[in-house]
Amino acid sequence: MKWTTGLMAGLGLVLSACAQEQGHEENAQAQAFIEYMATEHNFNRDELTLLMREAKRKDSILRAIKRPAEKAKPWYEYRKIFLTSSRISGGVDFWDKNSEALKAAQEKYGVPPEMIVAIIGVETRYGGNTGNYRVIDALSTLAFNYPRRAKFFTKELENYLLLTRDEKIDPTTLKGSYAGAMGFGQFMPSSYRHYAVDFNGDGHIDIWTDTEDAIGSVANYFAEHGWRPKEPIAVITEPRPNADMTVVNDDLKPKWTVGQLEEKGFPTTAQVTKDMPANVFSLETDNGKQYWIGLNNFYVITRYNHSRLYAMAVYELGQEIIKARGGRS
């Protein structure tokens, strides 16, 4: 099915049903976007005008993205969201059903299965909750009605239309989060175009229903962001009484080495070498503060979501899934 044919057919079915909702065809930013896409990427102006009419402004999306951020949760509350028995057992089931693809991804990209499984578990409960908004609505609403991040979402909308044209997908059909994140691993369109892979070799990249492509894509994302095979992710440390506490939580990106942190009062007996890039961070537990040394691979996890709590949730969920599987490969 050609992109144009699918688009025209999809629009014909839904235009009348959505007539009561506001489209973007009269929006000045949308009109400029249409001109840009026609000039820069050879899209048909009339088809894009029709698409912008169909792409609905959703106030629920604007409310969701403007909603004040949740009060920052301490680690002991945050981890309870993701380290649940259902998410652990779901990870075991997902791993068992996709063991061959996970093994192949590890062989090709060097990323262990538990990290791939944990990312998909944290992001979408193993594909159970990939989002209910049409991606075209989410991205157009935020591109043309949310000035604070209009540049970012306009670029994502551009990438979305390019990927749907490349993959011959009707752009009105795909669903995702209110921010336009898609599939098992919740890739934004730019991430899809840069990191998603056709892991099963069927000629299409499908991160929505094809677990093989989803697994390979997450692994490739990690590899492209500098994952180092067989290296540890994080190791616990007990600060000495004279430790330099000013370096705790100073940056997501490793600014030090394990050796330098040891000199600053943060020793470790784990299997790490003194030249490994590292930083030190703290977590609030039920029993007080806990200190960890985050290594390169911990930083790579934060490239998926720029949060230490997120990265630790992924790491610990992966470890719990391994335990629940009883060491099976």
Side-chain angles (χ1 to χ4, degrees):
M1 179 181 70
K2 293 183 178 180
W3 189 90
T4 301
T5 303
L7 169 60
M8 297 298 285
L11 294 179
L13 290 174
V14 294
L15 272 176
S16 58
C18 297
Q20 74 276 14
E21 295 184 303
Q22 181 182 353
H24 293 90
E25 76 276 13
E26 301 298 328
N27 182 289
Q29 288 84 5
Q31 291 172 354
F33 177 75
I34 290 169
E35 187 60 31
Y36 167 80
M37 294 296 288
T39 303
E40 187 71 17
H41 299 298
N42 199 32
F43 278 81
N44 182 284
R45 288 178 176 82
D46 291 338
E47 289 179 3
L48 284 186
T49 299
L50 185 61
L51 180 60
M52 289 302 102
R53 183 184 306 161
E54 159 58 16
K56 303 304 179 184
R57 173 192 164 118
K58 297 285 188 179
D59 288 339
S60 59
I61 290 171
L62 294 172
R63 287 194 298 270
I65 204 161
K66 291 176 182 176
R67 189 178 301 133
E70 283 187 338
K71 180 183 177 182
K73 293 181 182 296
W75 169 243
Y76 61 84
E77 290 183 5
Y78 185 92
R79 77 183 301 276
K80 292 176 184 176
I81 300 171
F82 301 105
L83 275 292
T84 63
S85 58
S86 64
R87 214 177 294 249
I88 294 167
S89 62
V92 171
D93 185 57
F94 184 85
W95 190 333
D96 289 345
K97 289 179 178 176
N98 298 281
S99 58
E100 290 186 11
L102 288 163
K103 182 179 179 181
Q106 182 176 20
E107 290 174 352
K108 182 169 183 178
Y109 299 108
V111 182
E114 67 271 15
M115 288 296 97
I116 302 170
V117 175
I119 283 284
I120 293 173
V122 167
E123 290 292 333
T124 63
R125 288 185 176 272
Y126 313 105
N129 181 20
T130 57
N132 294 313
Y133 287 99
R134 290 194 314 168
V135 176
I136 191 66
D137 293 337
L139 295 177
S140 61
T141 293
L142 295 170
F144 307 134
N145 302 280
Y146 188 52
R148 190 168 74 84
R149 299 194 68 193
K151 183 177 180 181
F152 171 80
F153 284 107
T154 300
K155 194 67 179 177
E156 291 299 332
L157 181 58
E158 175 186 356
N159 276 289
Y160 179 68
L161 295 184
L162 290 170
L163 82 84
T164 53
R165 183 170 70 175
D166 291 345
E167 292 294 319
K168 298 179 175 60
I169 299 170
D170 175 357
T172 67
T173 60
L174 297 180
K175 291 187 176 182
S177 75
Y178 70 81
M182 307 175 296
F184 278 84
Q186 292 292 274
F187 277 26
M188 292 299 288
S190 59
S191 291
Y192 175 102
R193 296 190 70 225
H194 283 100
Y195 307 114
V197 295
D198 174 18
F199 199 50
N200 61 6
D202 67 357
H204 297 283
I205 303 174
D206 176 6
I207 61 172
W208 296 270
T209 62
D210 190 323
T211 54
E212 291 180 88
D213 285 0
I215 286 166
S217 297
V218 170
N220 185 50
Y221 188 98
F222 273 30
E224 289 291 329
H225 283 84
W227 184 270
R228 297 179 181 176
K230 299 182 180 180
E231 284 195 6
I233 294 170
V235 293
I236 201 160
T237 182
E238 290 287 344
R240 298 191 185 103
N242 64 343
D244 179 4
M245 304 307 286
T246 65
V247 303
V248 178
N249 301 324
D250 62 354
D251 202 339
L252 282 179
K253 189 171 184 177
K255 292 175 60 175
W256 314 97
T257 64
V258 169
Q260 287 173 328
L261 289 177
E262 186 168 359
E263 291 174 0
K264 291 178 179 292
F266 299 95
T268 178
T269 57
Q271 296 301 309
V272 294
T273 57
K274 292 186 182 297
D275 62 344
M276 284 182 173
N279 57 19
V280 61
F281 61 94
S282 63
L283 297 174
E284 292 284 351
T285 75
D286 290 318
N287 300 313
K289 281 192 177 180
Q290 193 178 68
Y291 293 88
W292 288 80
I293 291 176
L295 303 162
N296 174 79
N297 287 345
F298 187 84
Y299 176 67
V300 171
I301 302 173
T302 69
R303 299 307 84 203
Y304 216 97
N305 182 313
H306 298 178
S307 163
R308 293 184 187 91
L309 298 188
Y310 175 91
M312 183 56 76
V314 169
Y315 172 58
E316 287 205 358
L317 178 60
Q319 298 307 301
E320 291 300 320
I321 292 170
I322 288 176
K323 292 178 187 176
R325 295 187 79 247
R328 287 179 287 131
S329 60

